[in-house]
Amino acid sequence: MLAALARHGCIKTSATAPREPLPDIRTTFNLEQAERLLVQRALDACQGNKSRAAELLGITREGLRKKLLRLDKTAHGHDGEEA
């Protein structure tokens, strides 16, 4: 994953670059949480550049936009279902 991030110019490969611990995606079996974490990692790695983050995730920028909207709705309890 780090090699892919470096190839896309999303991270610096300098040995002096500070590293902060990232939550371990393997510790959760919740698909929505894992997806949210992966999207956030890609955006963080690309300094918020959505086009680069989408490329890194293997989706289109429009796909990332829709995914962010969906994740935001589910985070706020609006899952599209009627009460």
Side-chain angles (χ1 to χ4, degrees), residues 6-26:
R7 274 196 310 274
H8 288 21
C10 294
I11 62 169
K12 296 179 180 163
T13 56
S14 169
T16 60
R19 291 185 181 202
E20 52 185 78
L22 295 172
D24 190 350
I25 200 167
R26 295 171 294 175

Side-chain angles (χ1 to χ4, degrees), residues 24-43:
D24 190 350
I25 200 167
R26 295 171 294 175
T27 61
T28 181
F29 292 100
N30 182 297
L31 186 57
E32 183 180 322
Q33 288 176 349
E35 183 179 31
R36 186 180 311 282
L37 179 60
L38 191 57
V39 168
Q40 188 59 55
R41 282 184 180 181
L43 286 167

